């Protein structure tokens, strides 16, 4: 799901001026494959992040270190020992031009980065400046520009990381809370306190104090799927007020959401005096917020952080893997280009030219409906790479459908299951295949693990809901499927969103609508 970072008119104007003065710094030529002389791609893996980039490895390592610190700081703002599993993938393009290549050129406002809600959670961002280009001869000017660029990139990363972590902790979240908390956490600052690493959380978000106000009732009426950029700063203000003026009730509200309770019911239980349906209560809340803006009195959270030893593994990504990643980025962009499918097909073809086994494309060919190609590659791959789960998934993808191949497909899925990595996307694909093949019980452990790794992912929860309903675990199926619908967001593909909503209706008809007690 795309999440533009919080902004303000002053910041936007400053960015426009800088872009005008230094326009050459953000220009780049079209993508070139590393095998054709383009910049190499590297993967830097830390404890909780996997950064993939064609920028300098030092940028990837810097971002991985900062992300580890920010993760601790942002998680520390909640009460409770939260430590979400799995690593978040972060793709860093070396400049904004290469980032924009994957987006609809008409998207407004142009996103700075996005957090993808697809089966593999992923943040995608382009560096503000291309560090490989040197347009200045004055070192002090170059240093100031690079410091500004790093600060801007850090701000955007904080926002997108916040969305990921919020989804890991709060299993249900209305739009105003999702954006308000992301803006609240975006303002996190890292530094030292009494000589030790520390973070300040809850600082004012730039010019948000002066942001135009909207009635509180309008925030509560904001529904998932509705565009609402004008609500971002007001949502930040409401969250900031709740944290500083109604902290105990706000914590209780979030604890209810962490148990996947209905957001409207959770709000009324935590704030009985602020019923969104009560006009007098909403007017009183508006007056409270206006007074809070005038007072500008708040308390920032100061969180001590343990010292982190830089610890990462670095590897160079081979060209066929780079092309496969680019194909994913074209297909999974929340702002897809009109020709995204053909662009992804071209990347797939390039990947196959450089590695005819097709293993890098095991998770893509089924998604793009290339069944015949998957079958041919799968037949060859299981003969040459029988110990690689991707070989068996390719074969299973090529054997989709009824008839005699069903038995062979089930066996291929079972072979893939025995070799799977601990990766939400792979686990979900095989679990879904087993469900389609009539072996839902075998897919349940895979679906459950995928949901542990990606608890805020609509596709993963959709698989869980379908499998749980098939094995008769109705309350859990309803809970998972309702969460999947909640998480669709404003940029979900219409066909996928319709399928997930239709499945909820079928599960409700099968299980009854009363049921999912937290």
């Amino acid at each position: 799901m795309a999440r533009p970072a919080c902004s303000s008119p002053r910041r936007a104007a400053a960015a426009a001026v800088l872009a005008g003065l230094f326009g050459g710094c953000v220009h780049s030529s079209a993508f070139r494959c590393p095998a054709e002389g383009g910049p190499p791609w590297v993967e830097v893996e830390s404890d909780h992040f996997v950064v993939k980039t064609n920028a300098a490895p030092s940028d990837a390592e810097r971002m991985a270190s900062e992300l580890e610190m920010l993760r601790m700081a942002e998680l520390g703002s909640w009460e409770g020992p939260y430590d979400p599993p799995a690593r978040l993938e972060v793709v860093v393009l070396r400049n904004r031009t290469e980032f924009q290549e994957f987006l609809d050129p008409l998207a407004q406002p142009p996103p700075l980065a996005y957090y993808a809600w697809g089966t593999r959670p992923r943040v995608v961002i382009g560096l503000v400046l291309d560090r490989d280009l040197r347009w200045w001869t004055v070192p002090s000017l170059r240093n100031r520009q690079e410091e500004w660029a790093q600060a801007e990139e850090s701000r955007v990363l904080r926002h997108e990381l916040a969305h990921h972590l919020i989804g890991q902790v709060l299993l249900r979240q209305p739009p105003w809370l999702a954006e308000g908390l992301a803006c609240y956490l975006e303002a996190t600052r890292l530094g030292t306190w009494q000589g030790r690493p520390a973070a300040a959380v809850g600082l004012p978000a730039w010019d948000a104090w002066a942001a135009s106000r909207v009635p509180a009732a309008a925030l509560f009426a904001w529904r998932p799927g509705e565009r609402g950029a004008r609500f971002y700063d007001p949502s930040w203000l409401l969250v900031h007020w709740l944290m500083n003026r109604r902290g105990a009730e706000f914590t209780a509200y979030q604890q209810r959401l962490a148990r996947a309770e209905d957001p409207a019911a959770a709000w009324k239980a935590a704030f009985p005096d602020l019923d969104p349906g009560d006009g007098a209560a909403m007017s009183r809340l508006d007056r409270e917020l206006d007074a809070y803006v005038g007072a500008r009195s708040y308390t920032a959270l100061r969180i001590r952080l343990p010292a982190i030893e830089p610890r990462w593994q670095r590897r160079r990504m081979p060209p066929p893997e780079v092309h496969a990643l680019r194909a994913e980025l074209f297909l999974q962009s929340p702002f897809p280009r009109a020709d995204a499918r053909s662009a992804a097909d071209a990347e797939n073809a390039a990947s196959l030219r450089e590695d005819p086994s097709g293993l890098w494309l095991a998770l893509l060919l089924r998604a793009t409906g290339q069944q015949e190609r998957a079958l041919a590659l799968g037949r060859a791959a299981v003969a040459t790479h029988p110990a690689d789960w991707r070989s068996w998934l390719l074969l299973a993808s090529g054997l989709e459908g009824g008839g005699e191949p069903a038995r062979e497909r089930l066996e291929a899925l079972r072979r893939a299951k025995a070799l799977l990595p601990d990766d939400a996307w792979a686990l979900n694909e095989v679990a879904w295949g087993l469900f389609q093949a009539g072996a839902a019980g075998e897919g349940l452990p895979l679906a459950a693990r995928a949901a542990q790794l990606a608890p805020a992912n609509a596709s993963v929860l959709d698989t869980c809901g379908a499998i749980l309903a098939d094995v008769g675990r109705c309350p859990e199926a309803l809970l998972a499927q309702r969460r999947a619908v909640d998480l669709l967001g404003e940029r979900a593909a219409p066909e996928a969103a319709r399928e997930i909503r239709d499945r909820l209706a079928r599960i409700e008809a099968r299980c009854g609508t009363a049921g999912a007690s937290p």
Side-chain angles (χ1 to χ4, degrees), residues 94-119:
R94 66 190 178 112
N95 53 51
R96 296 302 308 283
T97 302
E98 290 194 7
F99 171 72
Q100 293 290 338
E101 180 185 1
F102 299 100
L103 308 179
D104 177 0
L106 301 179
Q108 292 296 328
L112 304 174
Y114 64 81
Y115 172 57
W117 70 272
T119 309

Side-chain angles (χ1 to χ4, degrees), residues 329-353:
L329 296 179
F330 278 118
L331 291 173
Q332 296 170 3
S333 167
F335 304 89
R337 290 171 29 160
D339 62 344
R341 179 62 180 271
S342 60
D345 286 344
E347 296 293 343
N348 289 341
S351 181
L352 286 171
R353 283 196 302 272

Side-chain angles (χ1 to χ4, degrees), residues 160-422:
E160 304 307 335
L161 173 61
H163 274 298
H164 175 68
L165 295 177
I166 292 165
Q168 300 276 313
V169 175
L170 303 183
L171 301 186
R172 298 187 74 174
Q173 46 184 302
W176 70 265
L177 181 65
E179 288 303 338
L181 271 175
C183 291
Y184 180 88
L185 294 172
E186 175 190 315
T188 298
R189 293 292 180 268
L190 299 176
T192 58
W193 182 43
Q194 296 179 349
R196 294 178 53 187
V201 181
L203 297 167
W206 294 94
D207 291 345
W209 286 119
S212 59
R213 290 268 293 107
V214 301
L219 292 180
F220 291 107
W222 184 11
R223 296 288 175 250
E226 295 177 357
R227 301 292 295 276
R230 70 189 182 97
F231 292 138
Y232 286 13
D233 283 338
S235 294
W236 168 85
L237 177 60
L238 177 56
V239 166
H240 209 274
W241 177 80
L242 288 167
M243 291 286 266
N244 281 272
R245 296 291 188 266
R246 303 287 296 269
E249 298 101 314
F250 191 43
T251 296
Y253 172 58
Q254 292 181 82
Q255 288 171 343
R256 289 177 177 274
L257 296 179
R259 296 194 296 267
E261 293 187 23
D262 174 70
W267 176 265
K268 288 182 180 180
F271 298 97
D273 61 319
L274 295 177
D275 183 350
D278 183 340
M282 289 295 97
S283 295
R284 187 169 63 253
L285 177 56
D286 286 333
R287 291 194 296 273
E288 290 267 9
L289 292 172
D290 288 338
Y292 187 67
V293 169
R296 300 197 183 192
S297 173
Y298 65 93
T299 300
L301 300 176
R302 185 176 287 156
I303 300 171
R304 292 183 183 273
L305 302 175
I308 293 183
E309 290 291 331
R311 183 172 60 186
W312 49 66
Q313 295 180 337
R314 185 201 295 181
R315 72 173 179 91
R316 180 166 290 200
M317 296 172 61
E321 182 183 5
V322 172
H323 286 294
L325 173 62
R326 284 174 55 82
E328 290 178 29
L329 296 179
F330 278 118
L331 291 173
Q332 296 170 3
S333 167
F335 304 89
R337 290 171 29 160
D339 62 344
R341 179 62 180 271
S342 60
D345 286 344
E347 296 293 343
N348 289 341
S351 181
L352 286 171
R353 283 196 302 272
E354 290 164 354
D355 181 356
S357 76
L359 294 180
W360 299 109
L361 304 175
L363 291 164
L364 276 173
L365 293 183
R366 187 187 71 80
T368 54
Q370 299 183 53
Q371 190 168 343
E372 291 185 7
R373 174 174 282 184
L375 180 58
L377 291 170
R379 294 263 187 237
V382 297
T384 55
H385 302 282
D388 194 314
W389 64 274
R390 296 172 298 180
S391 301
W392 298 102
L393 184 60
L394 275 170
L395 179 58
S397 298
L399 292 169
E400 278 193 40
E404 188 59 28
R407 278 187 238 168
E408 187 182 1
R409 179 169 185 250
L410 181 57
E411 180 56 29
L413 287 165
R414 286 171 173 160
R415 295 289 295 270
K417 176 184 175 183
L419 299 166
L420 278 177
D422 201 27

Side-chain angles (χ1 to χ4, degrees), residues 118-135:
T119 309
R120 175 174 291 161
R122 173 185 284 146
V123 169
V124 184
I125 183 174
L127 296 182
V128 175
L129 305 177
D130 191 330
R131 308 293 200 269
D132 293 333
L133 297 180
R134 297 300 185 193
W135 288 77

Side-chain angles (χ1 to χ4, degrees), residues 129 131 140-153:
L129 305 177
R131 308 293 200 269
S140 60
L141 178 60
R142 180 171 65 246
N143 292 341
R144 284 199 300 273
Q145 270 301 99
E146 292 200 354
E147 288 173 5
W148 168 80
Q150 287 186 13
E152 187 71 2
E153 291 151 8

